[in-house]
Amino acid sequence: RDFNERCAQCSEVNWGLTDGGRFYCRSCHNVTERTREVVNTDFITNSRVQTISKGLRKQEKNDAGCEWYICEGFQLVLKKQAEALEALGVCPQMKDEILCNFWRCYLQKSKQAYCKRPAGETVKALSVCESSTDVDSDPERPSLLHLLSLSESEGDLQTDCSFASSVSKVSDSTSVYSGSVDGSLYLMKNQKEKLRMTMPMTLSFCYMALLWLREPITLSELLRFVVEGHIPYLNVFQHFPEKMKLCGLDLRIFCVESWPVYEEVFNKMHELAAFLDLPRFPDITDSCFLHPDMLCMKYLMEANLPDELHNWTCRVVKKIGIGEVDFLTLMPGNKSTRKVKYDVLAAAVIVVVLKLLFLLDDRYEWLLSEFAEERNKNNTEGGPYFEFKKWYEVVKQSLDVEQKKLDEERAKCLWRCEKPLFYSVKNKSKVLKRRQMVVNLQNQFGKLSGSVQRAEKPNPSSFQLSWSEENTDGSCFHEHSLKGVLQEKCGLLTAMNPDYWLCTVKLCNEKLCGHLAHYREVEFPQSYHFVLGLFSFLLRIQPSYIHDEVCMIEHKLFNKKLYKKLKYNTVLRK
Amino acid sequence: SSHEHKLNFRKSKEACLSYIQDALLQKQWKRAAEFLTCYVESLEKDYSREHIGPSEMIWRIGTEILWHHSQSSMKEFNCFMEQMKTLGVKRYLKVCLEHVFHLLCNGQIDEAYQNLSLAESWRFGEQTAIQDKEMKLIEAYRGLLDYYSWSKQKNILLEHSEDGFSDLAVEQEMHSYFRKAAVNLKEIIKIPGVWDVFVKCYVDLLEFYGDHNEARQVLNEYAYNSKFPANPNAHVYLYQFLKRQGESKKSLISALKILHDIVPSHELMIDFNTMLQKSKKRKKRRLGLEVIFAALDYAGWKENAKAWSCLARQVKQIVTSEKHLDWIKQEWNSRKDWWPAFHFSRYLAKRNWQENRSLSYEKALVAGILLGKDCKYFKYVSHQGCKAQLKRFRMLKKFVNRHNPVYLRISG
């Protein structure tokens, strides 16, 4: 990137990087001898990092690979992810400036780079996929089992236990395998204070950068793109250069065997923002995509609900103040304000509005629907009234189809890739043989799968369900009118429904039990469960998280009524 | 399960397996193959703690799919099986054996034989001892195929001898197959188990070469050794052997006794009853009555004219002699509540008369004695028979009328 010399052959300045870390001219494919490390001198402000570059230059001729640090691996991962996001339409600023700077800041704060080597910390250059015999005498070397038990289990612990047991058969104080220099160190130290880097955290970084730039991608969308394969996550280590050998404990760090969870990525992001001492994020105003008014519009469309409902969502948003800039904008380190999940919040607002207008007690909404149906039958002019029943049937049908597809996709998910993973050189040949067998079997049975070949991953799209107004079968409800459920009072449109039921009377202490309320399907009306389920599918999160937000909104909305008593008490005390 | 958002490797493979299972149950081979393709990467994970690991799953599922899928060939199947053999050394012999079964089902006897021979020569440290049972089976099946070859040679020999010329080469081959087969078959039947096919073949060999003692011993062991699981066929084979040997009725009867205990509805019960009826010993005749009544308790025997004729004969004999009427009473006691509806309804009377006159005749006799001349069955059949002017029915009517008091004594 920063290499600005002209190409010797064609005089162009159009450089790319080979796998070997050398620059090559994209116009004429001339490969230079200049390597990246030598050029980016501004990168090297750390003696440790200088050691890396020296090591790299020395070892390039050696097939066994080079010394590399875990953070370098993560840096590559982030780079790949940022590139993917750019391909999806995110502005290039994200990759070149924001994410880069966040990362550098992180490296600095966690003392992995850009700082003086912390006193007392010696980096033991651990063996690179070789068995070393002089290791046995070192009493400080942690046992393999110890290391594995300390690390948070992301993947399948059983694999590790068997691996541990197989390695420990070799000798008591085993040598620790990792391709990277500091793999074992990474897993060993109690990194709680320093916020150790993990694969899910790479997504936290991405999300943080996206939020900073106020890009129109919500966290749930980001995670969905990851699962759909548009953003590298699973097996991203495939793209590491050849010389960065991955083995042993590196696999614990870079190989994921589960999809990232919304909560985890979300919480980590906030931790990270605080850790990096970031200032207040750029304002989320009502023209931003992440503002509830905007997101509500999107979700209403996707949920095939009438556009008219948008007025109501805006009213609710305004009434409880969740559209305010100060509420929406992230202020890192501020523990008093509740962290905003923009997508979940918007979905919850819609749920509350549906409750306001339709009650959703498994009776009233169907009654209203019957009236609307009657009216629609007898009076075809002036556009149809919204019928809950029809909407339910249409949406449920589509939802079921999509859910079924999703379930099958999940079952067909392929977790492994071509690049072989092995814990040590000893089981390399076994791993390769297994891989070969897997490939053979896949070919054999793949042919028998008939014409159903694994389709190319679907094009990334922001909308998972789409409804066209051109359909004459009336399956699109966007234009439908809410007249059937509204009435005019004192010049204002209000809901005909006079009642409302609260999801919960008392909110839990989120810090203690992790939720504001506890959602159990049997305790709530089926219609409510259906609506939660719809948004749960769209956002790919558990219904209980949406339920939490709904409770929060309700308590803000009915604040006065709920805390009437409390108010009197405080008045008396004054 | 549709809302399980935390998806990891294990859960996704579990889900995959359940899709495979559904597809297999619905015989959707293409779909099963599709999901199996996604499942196979489980081989790259360690499942040493699971009860059934992915390699075994893939072996079994893959076998099913390849066996039934329309586009799969025997060649592909064999290739797959070879791969599976390399997958799990602990299962090696089992896989070999199942492969052989499939080859036999497909009529590829020679290939099956080759595989068996190959498997027999397999050695793998302590695994060889652990998989001893499977090895015995493999040897036994090779013995079976040797028997099959022996049998072919024997037939050729017989043909040639009929044509008038002897064939030494064929004879020698036949003998050598015999030796090979005998060795292995003998071994397997020593182990407690159900070895019907092996026993039959072995006995066949022994009989051919005239070693009747050995044959008898083998069959006795197979039938009476308590270590072996209770097996009706063992007794059938023994009985058939004894019959072939021309043994006395006494030993034949004792051979069938246990069969009656285990399977009262066995088809040999007719032979059994026939022998017992004719016996001079009272106990045996008594047993005969018990046997035939017990057999007719089963729905499968309802329309068996032969069985009814046995019962009718014995009942007639007892009634005529006026001795041992209490036997009939005893047998009838536990049956009088349900046999009338089961065997002697008016509907059955009509049907039996229409479909099988002999059957209705025999049944009518029994019904007439057991239920009296006024019972539905007897009345209808005898009426029909007399109307049709069939002599034996008239005789029947006379007989039952004459012995009607018997009924009163039985039912009282």
Side-chain angles (χ1 to χ4, degrees):
Chain A
R1 267 191 328 266
D2 303 316
F3 191 32
N4 285 324
E5 279 193 20
R6 287 190 177 278
C7 168
Q9 251 173 249
C10 65
S11 305
E12 291 278 309
V13 186
N14 188 5
W15 298 105
L17 270 179
T18 66
D19 277 340
R22 294 201 175 91
F23 284 102
Y24 76 96
C25 175
R26 284 209 188 102
S27 317
C28 68
H29 300 286
N30 172 29
V31 180
T32 70
E33 288 304 304
R34 304 289 287 277
T35 53
R36 186 186 48 164
E37 303 76 47
V38 175
V39 172
N40 279 348
T41 49
D42 55 331
F43 190 94
I44 301 169
T45 57
N46 177 9
S47 54
R48 187 200 286 191
V49 183
Q50 272 177 338
T51 324
I52 300 174
S53 64
K54 280 202 202 117
L56 282 165
R57 267 185 282 158
K58 228 195 308 183
Q59 302 245 9
E60 252 172 50
K61 296 163 199 160
N62 187 354
D63 269 342
C66 67
E67 288 185 348
W68 59 278
Y69 287 82
I70 295 288
C71 58
E72 283 183 272
F74 277 116
Q75 187 167 307
L76 270 166
V77 171
L78 282 172
K79 179 158 167 282
K80 280 266 167 262
Q81 289 173 338
E83 281 167 4
L85 282 165
E86 208 178 326
L88 285 174
V90 171
C91 66
Q93 231 188 338
M94 188 220 156
K95 180 178 84 150
D96 299 333
E97 288 178 28
I98 310 296
L99 194 59
C100 237
N101 287 328
F102 280 163
W103 178 243
R104 283 186 192 142
C105 186
Y106 167 77
L107 288 175
Q108 194 166 35
K109 291 249 187 237
S110 60
K111 304 203 192 322
Q112 290 177 68
Y114 300 108
C115 59
K116 289 202 190 112
R117 190 176 298 178
E121 240 187 56
T122 47
V123 180
K124 293 180 188 151
L126 297 168
S127 58
V128 182
C129 298
E130 299 162 3
S131 58
S132 54
T133 48
D134 57 356
V135 153
D136 297 352
S137 52
D138 194 334
E140 278 178 37
R141 192 168 296 279
S143 82
L144 203 55
L145 281 167
H146 185 61
L147 275 174
L148 293 171
S149 60
L150 277 181
S151 59
E152 283 146 26
S153 141
E154 225 174 66
D156 191 1
L157 199 55
Q158 286 179 5
T159 323
D160 305 306
C161 284
S162 76
F163 155 59
S165 62
S166 64
V167 170
S168 57
K169 273 185 206 145
V170 176
S171 68
D172 252 345
S173 47
T174 54
S175 58
V176 176
Y177 295 135
S178 72
S180 61
V181 173
D182 58 344
S184 58
L185 222 64
Y186 212 80
L187 287 174
M188 183 180 71
K189 286 207 305 223
N190 182 4
Q191 302 270 9
K192 279 259 163 73
E193 319 89 22
K194 292 191 187 170
L195 215 63
R196 171 166 57 101
M197 191 65 186
T198 60
M199 277 304 289
M201 225 160 103
T202 59
L203 297 175
S204 301
F205 267 96
C206 289
Y207 178 56
M208 198 164 66
L210 290 169
L211 184 59
W212 185 272
L213 289 165
R214 297 172 293 180
E215 288 284 338
I217 298 186
T218 60
L219 178 56
S220 55
E221 265 181 320
L222 177 68
L223 294 179
R224 180 165 62 86
F225 288 149
V226 167
V227 172
E228 288 176 0
H230 305 299
I231 295 177
Y233 184 77
L234 198 66
N235 301 328
V236 66
F237 55 82
Q238 276 182 105
H239 305 293
F240 284 5
E242 260 303 300
K243 62 182 191 233
M244 273 171 80
K245 299 278 180 211
L246 228 81
C247 66
L249 293 167
D250 304 328
L251 302 185
R252 282 307 263 130
I253 301 169
F254 289 106
C255 296
V256 267
E257 290 197 341
S258 58
W259 289 120
V261 175
Y262 187 105
E263 281 280 294
E264 194 189 334
V265 176
F266 181 79
N267 290 334
K268 264 292 189 285
M269 188 218 93
H270 288 276
E271 261 185 73
L272 200 53
F275 178 71
L276 299 181
D277 272 331
L278 293 178
R280 180 182 159 110
F281 272 52
D283 287 346
I284 308 276
T285 61
D286 52 16
S287 57
C288 281
F289 177 79
L290 295 173
H291 191 275
D293 288 342
M294 294 290 238
L295 280 177
C296 279
M297 189 71 234
K298 173 179 192 271
Y299 293 147
L300 283 171
M301 275 178 74
E302 205 165 356
N304 202 9
L305 288 165
D307 296 342
E308 276 182 36
L309 281 172
H310 191 241
N311 301 331
W312 291 86
T313 63
C314 291
R315 276 170 78 172
V316 169
V317 165
K318 188 143 188 237
K319 182 117 200 246
I320 58 177
I322 59 173
E324 300 298 308
V325 167
D326 289 332
F327 175 83
L328 292 171
T329 310
L330 175 60
M331 185 65 212
N334 185 347
K335 297 226 167 99
S336 56
T337 53
R338 191 156 181 273
K339 315 273 188 297
V340 182
K341 297 177 180 146
Y342 304 100
D343 34 21
V344 186
L345 185 65
V349 168
I350 298 178
V351 172
V352 169
V353 164
L354 288 174
K355 277 176 79 178
L356 281 169
L357 297 181
F358 297 93
L359 189 54
L360 296 186
D361 66 340
D362 283 346
R363 270 190 62 249
Y364 193 70
E365 65 272 21
W366 305 109
L367 252 137
L368 285 176
S369 184
E370 271 173 36
F371 292 144
E373 197 183 351
E374 274 304 304
R375 182 266 167 197
N376 281 339
K377 251 196 281 186
N378 301 330
N379 189 352
T380 47
E381 61 179 53
Y385 281 13
F386 176 75
E387 289 172 50
F388 188 86
K389 179 163 176 249
K390 249 184 121 188
W391 172 82
Y392 173 83
E393 283 165 359
V394 168
V395 170
K396 181 163 183 11
Q397 193 177 26
S398 291
L399 189 60
D400 285 345
V401 166
E402 294 301 314
Q403 185 69 65
K404 188 162 174 241
K405 266 197 246 169
L406 184 65
D407 289 339
E408 284 198 13
E409 276 309 306
R410 283 193 177 133
K412 293 203 250 181
C413 183
L414 285 179
W415 298 84
R416 294 288 155 139
C417 64
E418 274 312 310
K419 185 159 178 169
L421 306 170
F422 33 88
Y423 279 91
S424 67
V425 187
K426 284 202 184 88
N427 70 357
K428 178 174 179 174
S429 60
K430 184 175 174 203
V431 166
L432 287 174
K433 257 205 290 186
R434 273 289 157 106
R435 180 72 209 163
Q436 188 57 48
M437 171 159 308
V438 167
V439 170
N440 287 343
L441 288 171
Q442 281 175 338
N443 284 337
Q444 185 170 26
F445 288 101
K447 279 194 230 128
L448 294 176
S449 303
S451 52
V452 184
Q453 287 302 324
R454 278 187 76 73
E456 289 296 310
K457 57 187 180 197
N459 281 332
S461 99
S462 198
F463 284 84
Q464 298 173 71
L465 299 172
S466 62
W467 316 93
S468 174
E469 275 142 36
E470 275 125 40
N471 284 354
T472 47
D473 58 359
S475 62
C476 177
F477 294 83
H478 297 154
E479 303 277 299
H480 286 215
S481 161
L482 290 176
K483 283 211 194 92
V485 305
L486 299 174
Q487 60 191 354
E488 224 183 282
K489 261 189 186 170
C490 319
L492 270 178
L493 272 179
T494 56
M496 268 167 66
N497 168 33
D499 297 323
Y500 194 90
W501 55 271
L502 287 174
C503 285
T504 175
V505 175
K506 191 159 190 285
L507 292 176
C508 272
N509 185 341
E510 203 167 19
K511 292 198 175 71
L512 282 179
C513 69
H515 285 278
L516 281 179
H518 298 274
Y519 177 67
R520 279 173 61 218
E521 183 187 336
V522 292
E523 290 170 7
F524 291 91
Q526 287 291 302
S527 301
Y528 179 70
H529 176 68
F530 173 74
V531 167
L532 279 191
L534 172 60
F535 288 106
S536 163
F537 170 79
L538 290 175
L539 301 181
R540 307 288 168 91
I541 55 172
Q542 296 281 22
S544 50
Y545 292 130
I546 309 178
H547 180 74
D548 275 358
E549 295 294 307
V550 169
C551 292
M552 186 270 290
I553 293 172
E554 285 177 348
H555 275 247
K556 278 204 205 288
L557 198 57
F558 297 105
N559 194 8
K560 287 202 202 102
K561 290 210 175 112
L562 277 171
Y563 297 110
K564 231 185 210 168
K565 273 197 188 157
L566 198 64
K567 206 171 145 194
Y568 276 123
N569 289 340
T570 53
V571 164
L572 283 170
R573 267 195 277 142
K574 267 193 217 156
Chain B
S1 72
S2 53
H3 290 296
E4 189 51 73
H5 293 272
K6 178 158 174 93
L7 188 70
N8 58 19
F9 187 98
R10 166 171 251 94
K11 288 200 180 107
S12 106
K13 291 310 169 206
E14 271 172 26
C16 195
L17 265 184
S18 77
Y19 278 105
I20 295 177
Q21 184 180 35
D22 283 344
L24 287 177
L25 286 171
Q26 293 173 49
K27 303 204 196 300
Q28 293 170 329
W29 309 114
K30 284 205 174 84
R31 192 169 151 86
E34 188 190 335
F35 280 94
L36 185 62
T37 313
C38 304
Y39 180 76
V40 293
E41 62 172 13
S42 303
L43 284 176
E44 296 184 85
K45 281 279 283 178
D46 174 48
Y47 275 72
S48 53
R49 288 217 190 132
E50 300 285 322
H51 178 56
I52 297 184
S55 50
E56 184 165 354
M57 283 289 191
I58 291 171
W59 165 47
R60 294 206 181 275
I61 295 171
T63 305
E64 280 309 295
I65 294 176
L66 287 172
W67 190 245
H68 291 108
H69 198 292
S70 51
Q71 279 162 27
S72 160
S73 65
M74 220 33 214
K75 183 157 165 262
E76 265 197 60
F77 186 84
N78 291 333
C79 174
F80 173 74
M81 289 308 245
E82 293 304 323
Q83 279 187 304
M84 291 300 105
K85 285 176 192 169
T86 65
L87 251 192
V89 75
K90 289 190 188 147
R91 260 195 321 275
Y92 180 78
L93 288 180
K94 220 194 279 191
V95 178
C96 283
L97 199 56
E98 297 231 355
H99 187 198
V100 163
F101 291 155
H102 282 100
L103 288 168
L104 288 174
C105 286
N106 203 43
Q108 291 173 282
I109 315 252
D110 291 333
E111 282 86 350
Y113 194 86
Q114 275 167 27
N115 271 291
L116 283 170
S117 305
L118 207 68
E120 255 186 293
S121 61
W122 180 75
R123 299 281 177 272
F124 201 94
E126 60 178 19
Q127 280 299 319
T128 326
I130 294 173
Q131 296 184 44
D132 176 59
K133 288 206 180 87
E134 285 87 348
M135 187 57 96
K136 281 257 159 30
L137 275 173
I138 285 177
E139 286 163 355
Y141 276 98
R142 193 171 70 75
L144 192 64
L145 292 183
D146 283 326
Y147 166 84
Y148 178 70
S149 303
W150 170 86
S151 183
K152 278 203 296 202
Q153 298 300 99
K154 181 186 80 164
N155 290 336
I156 294 175
L157 202 65
L158 287 173
E159 259 177 47
H160 286 185
S161 71
E162 267 171 42
D163 294 339
F165 57 100
S166 70
D167 194 330
L168 206 63
V170 170
E171 203 178 322
Q172 283 199 353
E173 241 192 287
M174 189 184 89
H175 291 321
S176 101
Y177 278 128
F178 157 70
R179 276 191 291 274
K180 286 200 279 191
V183 155
N184 283 334
L185 291 174
K186 184 172 180 173
E187 275 307 300
I188 192 79
I189 58 183
K190 280 190 199 159
I191 306 171
V194 178
W195 309 122
D196 288 356
V197 63
F198 300 132
V199 166
K200 273 180 89 169
C201 297
Y202 188 48
V203 165
D204 189 27
L205 287 172
L206 291 170
E207 281 195 83
F208 183 84
Y209 287 95
D211 194 349
H212 303 292
N213 284 328
E214 175 73 6
R216 184 198 307 266
Q217 202 171 348
V218 161
L219 287 169
N220 273 316
E221 264 291 291
Y222 195 52
Y224 295 122
N225 187 340
S226 55
K227 289 209 193 99
F228 281 71
N231 183 355
N233 292 334
H235 301 275
V236 173
Y237 298 153
L238 178 61
Y239 169 76
Q240 288 168 339
F241 171 76
L242 294 173
K243 205 165 165 194
R244 285 197 293 273
Q245 295 293 305
E247 297 271 329
S248 69
K249 284 280 186 309
K250 187 167 171 209
S251 54
L252 289 178
I253 284 174
S254 88
L256 285 179
K257 178 101 186 18
I258 301 186
L259 185 61
H260 161 68
D261 288 334
I262 313 175
V263 189
S265 58
H266 199 277
E267 58 185 4
L268 281 176
M269 290 302 106
I270 292 185
D271 291 21
F272 195 32
N273 167 269
T274 309
M275 283 193 285
L276 288 168
Q277 265 194 49
K278 294 188 191 151
S279 167
K280 295 201 177 71
K281 298 249 171 79
R282 195 165 18 122
K283 264 197 191 157
K284 296 248 159 63
R285 293 202 302 277
R286 175 70 185 89
L287 179 63
L289 192 66
E290 186 187 314
V291 164
I292 194 68
F293 259 106
L296 286 167
D297 278 339
Y298 289 86
W301 288 75
K302 274 168 96 166
E303 317 216 322
N304 190 322
K306 188 105 196 340
W308 283 105
S309 86
C310 284
L311 179 58
R313 188 179 341 126
Q314 198 162 12
V315 162
K316 191 171 179 186
Q317 192 268 324
I318 291 173
V319 162
T320 316
S321 72
E322 296 197 0
K323 270 200 260 183
H324 306 300
L325 285 167
D326 54 309
W327 288 0
I328 299 183
K329 186 170 178 178
Q330 276 163 25
E331 290 299 328
W332 186 236
N333 217 7
S334 58
R335 293 176 168 93
K336 64 181 180 221
D337 291 326
W338 61 282
W339 263 45
F342 191 56
H343 284 304
F344 304 125
S345 67
R346 194 175 147 76
Y347 167 75
L348 277 172
K350 276 190 179 163
R351 215 178 84 184
N352 293 154
W353 173 254
Q354 270 171 3
E355 289 175 3
N356 189 342
R357 289 216 176 141
S358 302
L359 175 70
S360 63
Y361 171 82
E362 307 289 350
K363 278 179 77 175
L365 193 149
V366 174
I369 298 298
L370 294 175
L371 292 170
K373 66 179 167 57
D374 291 320
C375 83
K376 290 179 271 194
Y377 196 91
F378 175 74
K379 266 175 93 168
Y380 181 83
V381 171
S382 63
H383 176 72
Q384 292 294 321
C386 292
K387 220 168 66 173
Q389 293 185 342
L390 294 166
K391 185 174 176 196
R392 58 177 177 159
F393 282 92
R394 268 189 306 187
M395 306 282 284
L396 172 66
K397 195 166 180 183
K398 276 193 199 153
F399 178 83
V400 170
N401 281 332
R402 199 184 326 137
H403 292 282
N404 202 43
V406 166
Y407 147 70
L408 293 167
R409 278 155 73 183
I410 294 174
S411 62

